[in-house]
Amino acid sequence: MKESPTIVAQSTPQGTGALAIIRISGPKAIEICSKTIVQREKFNNAATRKVLLYTIHHPIKKQEIDEISAIKYKAPRSFTGENMVEIICHGGSAIVMGIIDALLASGASMAGRGDFTRQALENGKIDLLKAEAIKGMIESTCEPDLKCAHKLYHGDIKDLSNLKERINSLQSDLEAEIEFGEEEQIIENRVGAREKLKEIIHKIGMELERRKSITNIENGIKLVIAGPVNAGKSTLFNRILGYERALTHHEPGTTRDTVSERILIIGHEVKIIDCAGIRDTSHEVEKKGIQKTLKAIQDAHIVLWVTAANESIEENEKELIINIKGKKVIGVINKCDINDGVQKETFFRLKKLKWFKTSLKNGEKIEILLSWIKKVIKDIYSSLEIPGILFNKRHEDIGKTIFEELIKTEKEWNRKEIAAYHLRNARQALEEIFGAQDNEQILNSIFDSFCIGK
Ligand SMILES: Nc1nc2c(ncn2[C@@H]2O[C@H](COP(=O)(O)OP(=O)(O)O)[C@@H](O)[C@H]2O)c(=O)[nH]1
Ligand SMILES: [Mg+2]
């Protein structure tokens, strides 16, 4: 039998860093690595899982590369289930390339995407769902994403297993009906079966909604600062950031394009977007800017509607505010140093919107506004439900197929054979989430999206 290859790759991201990690895994990992270690005997005699300091050199060029720490793992007690060495070196790219080159010259081969995790899968250390969970943990960009990955990693898939059982049982009911359709008992079952089907459809529909809300915040919460021209939007943007990022000026129409920055608020990534002020204009560039503002409002999670206390509220401004649907809106009545802003206050109160009076020029009450924003962000996150069936994008795509096939099953309920056909399709799609070991195509599509070194 052909021996499996010993693979090597950098596990940390490319570029310059204080430290980098290189992994080597396969039957010859320890032997190959020892060829590159100056203190070979110390390395060979070192206990497994113990971190020791060595000098690494190129065995052919006889050139020293770096001082490293290395840890040996003996099969099967390693992440991949193979012999493994983890090398921690200084994080310069010449060093990393030099070490990888030394290991390649000593008999290792370069790892492809996800090859280490694939070894772990092939050696039975993890199953496909756990491999996906690892990928999910690496790629997660927000807390709910990470929670999904953790759930999968810890095998918390009772809802998924339960769904599988329910679809299987529904299928037996339907097959039985096709086989023995005339019997009374079966007819009774049939009504129950249809109810079961509706419940399953509802459940998958809810899961798809949950995924949608998570995907929606994967790139951070979008906080849009919008409102009429010259109200103090850019001043607020700068105040939140703490530095003069956007131009502010008494001339209306200063901000023409959207300007954005990312910051962390209570540990969550927030993209703050300062927009062109809204007004009637014949100026083409400004018009384009205003269109971008309207689009930003559409995509926003939170809208801070900044409006000047000394300007009266026009009908079109009222209409714009009323038309912001499905977002958290906070009215910011600014320039209260020159006017009491009662008219605008009355409007926000009437529309049951949260509002806030300030003088940004004097930096008044920024802390209070920030604490409101924090609360809104907290509410957005706490209202998110973590999926129990569809844990990632691949599952979501499969979930959509299952949903469509179940809808067709229900639609064709009275044409038993056709209904059974769609139900079978739904079941097969569900099997794909679990991923049969021999389904090379599924495995390839998952591992191709891994990074090299994992
Ligand atoms: N009196 C007063 N002027 C302000 C206040 N906040 C901003 N301004 C001024 O209003 C003008 C427009 O501000 P800017 O932030 O550029 O408004 P934007 O067009 O909404 O982005 C600038 O001259 C600011 O200095 C405030 O609270 N009171
Ligand atoms: Mg501006």
Side-chain angles (χ1 to χ4, degrees):
M1 207 176 90
K2 200 170 155 250
E3 194 180 59
S4 52
T6 295
I7 52 172
V8 64
Q10 179 177 2
S11 290
T12 40
Q14 299 215 333
T16 309
L19 297 173
I21 297 175
I22 294 166
R23 278 212 285 205
I24 170 161
S25 171
K28 293 208 168 118
I30 295 171
E31 188 187 323
I32 290 173
C33 200
S34 85
K35 291 183 193 166
T36 66
I37 303 279
V38 174
Q39 304 82 355
R40 188 174 300 181
E41 211 150 305
K42 176 180 169 188
F43 179 77
N44 287 338
N45 293 332
T48 54
R49 298 161 177 270
K50 191 164 178 196
V51 190
L52 290 178
L53 200 65
Y54 306 97
T55 310
I56 193 162
H57 75 155
H58 196 293
I60 298 163
K61 297 179 192 162
K62 302 283 179 215
Q63 251 170 24
E64 183 180 320
I65 309 169
D66 195 16
E67 280 230 306
I68 58 152
S69 299
I71 311 153
K72 294 194 308 191
Y73 300 88
K74 282 245 170 79
R77 294 193 62 214
S78 72
F79 168 69
T80 57
E82 301 276 343
N83 286 335
M84 259 184 86
V85 182
E86 277 172 355
I87 295 171
I88 305 162
C89 60
H90 292 103
S93 45
I95 292 173
V96 172
M97 283 189 300
I99 295 175
I100 291 179
D101 187 41
L103 292 166
L104 292 175
S106 308
S109 52
M110 201 66 210
R113 289 182 180 277
D115 275 357
F116 292 93
T117 313
R118 197 159 184 147
Q119 278 186 343
L121 184 87
E122 277 160 11
N123 288 326
K125 296 292 282 192
I126 53 171
D127 61 15
L128 184 84
L129 289 181
K130 204 153 181 171
E132 276 193 297
I134 293 169
K135 179 172 177 291
M137 289 198 279
I138 295 169
E139 289 176 356
S140 58
T141 56
C142 62
E143 197 184 86
D145 250 357
L146 183 59
K147 279 187 181 162
C148 272
H150 276 164
K151 223 167 160 178
L152 198 56
Y153 188 79
H154 294 298
D156 184 1
I157 56 163
K158 50 186 181 310
D159 287 357
L160 180 60
S161 310
N162 188 270
L163 177 76
K164 190 172 160 181
E165 272 168 33
R166 285 162 82 182
I167 292 187
N168 283 349
S169 130
L170 194 61
Q171 196 175 11
S172 333
D173 288 355
L174 200 60
E175 306 279 348
E177 152 125 29
I178 292 169
E179 198 94 350
F180 317 103
E182 302 307 313
E183 290 169 30
E184 224 171 88
Q185 165 98 40
I186 299 290
I187 294 176
E188 251 173 57
N189 276 353
R190 185 137 220 261
V191 181
R194 193 166 192 171
E195 285 313 306
K196 268 194 219 166
L197 173 61
K198 284 185 183 161
E199 269 174 39
I200 297 172
I201 293 176
H202 177 71
K203 182 133 186 130
I204 298 272
M206 298 262 292
E207 277 289 301
L208 287 170
E209 282 303 312
R210 284 180 192 143
R211 280 235 56 84
K212 212 160 117 191
S213 342
I214 292 183
T215 312
N216 199 19
I217 56 156
E218 264 170 359
N219 293 313
I221 294 266
K222 291 185 208 80
L223 185 147
V224 165
I225 304 178
V229 283
N230 210 29
K233 298 181 295 302
S234 301
T235 309
L236 177 60
F237 180 65
N238 292 341
R239 288 270 183 205
I240 296 177
L241 292 179
Y243 64 95
E244 297 293 303
R245 169 68 178 84
L247 266 181
T248 60
H249 202 268
H250 56 79
E251 189 182 318
T254 303
T255 312
R256 293 215 170 147
D257 204 351
T258 46
V259 183
S260 65
E261 281 297 327
R262 289 181 178 275
I263 57 166
L264 272 186
I265 300 183
I266 49 164
H268 299 295
E269 195 177 2
V270 179
K271 185 179 180 186
I272 308 186
I273 306 156
D274 179 27
C275 297
I278 299 172
R279 67 166 168 183
D280 270 336
T281 177
S282 55
H283 197 289
E284 281 307 313
V285 178
E286 202 179 345
K287 265 189 190 168
K288 278 197 168 172
I290 294 171
Q291 274 163 14
K292 280 180 97 171
T293 303
L294 298 176
K295 172 80 174 61
I297 293 175
Q298 250 177 34
D299 296 343
H301 296 95
I302 307 169
V303 178
L304 297 184
W305 187 270
V306 185
T307 189
N310 58 323
E311 301 280 344
S312 58
I313 187 158
E314 306 290 341
E315 280 312 309
N316 61 349
E317 183 179 352
K318 287 184 185 171
E319 217 170 283
L320 279 165
I321 301 172
I322 293 165
N323 281 328
I324 304 174
K325 303 270 192 255
K327 327 273 167 193
K328 310 270 179 182
V329 180
I330 301 178
V332 180
I333 306 171
N334 187 33
K335 305 200 183 181
C336 286
D337 50 305
I338 47 178
N339 190 291
D340 62 8
V342 169
Q343 192 208 11
K344 292 190 172 170
E345 206 176 343
T346 312
F347 171 77
F348 284 116
R349 184 181 295 119
L350 213 70
K351 293 295 162 199
K352 297 196 166 54
L353 291 170
K354 231 177 163 52
W355 46 266
F356 175 83
K357 283 168 79 174
T358 183
S359 164
L360 293 168
K361 191 179 178 178
N362 302 335
E364 253 178 32
K365 301 194 208 153
I366 294 285
E367 286 309 316
I368 302 176
L369 178 61
L370 275 178
S371 64
W372 278 15
I373 295 172
K374 283 178 192 167
K375 185 177 177 307
V376 172
I377 292 173
K378 211 166 150 198
D379 288 349
I380 292 176
Y381 276 93
S382 54
S383 68
L384 287 175
E385 283 182 78
I386 303 303
I389 298 171
L390 311 172
F391 295 94
N392 56 38
K393 177 76 178 76
R394 185 181 77 88
H395 299 175
E396 186 180 337
D397 291 342
I398 295 173
K400 284 179 191 157
T401 309
I402 299 174
F403 187 74
E404 281 160 18
E405 291 295 340
L406 292 178
I407 293 276
K408 286 180 192 160
T409 311
E410 145 78 2
K411 210 169 133 203
E412 300 290 354
W413 192 248
N414 293 325
R415 300 202 289 171
K416 287 170 258 176
E417 276 80 8
I418 301 177
Y421 165 78
H422 289 298
L423 188 60
R424 253 194 315 274
N425 287 349
R427 210 190 72 156
Q428 269 167 13
L430 184 65
E431 288 294 336
E432 275 184 39
I433 292 188
F434 294 92
Q437 281 276 3
D438 57 356
N439 195 336
E440 201 54 28
Q441 207 186 341
I442 297 179
L443 290 181
N444 285 341
S445 77
I446 292 171
F447 284 102
D448 282 352
S449 59
F450 262 73
C451 44
I452 290 174
K454 187 61 219 178

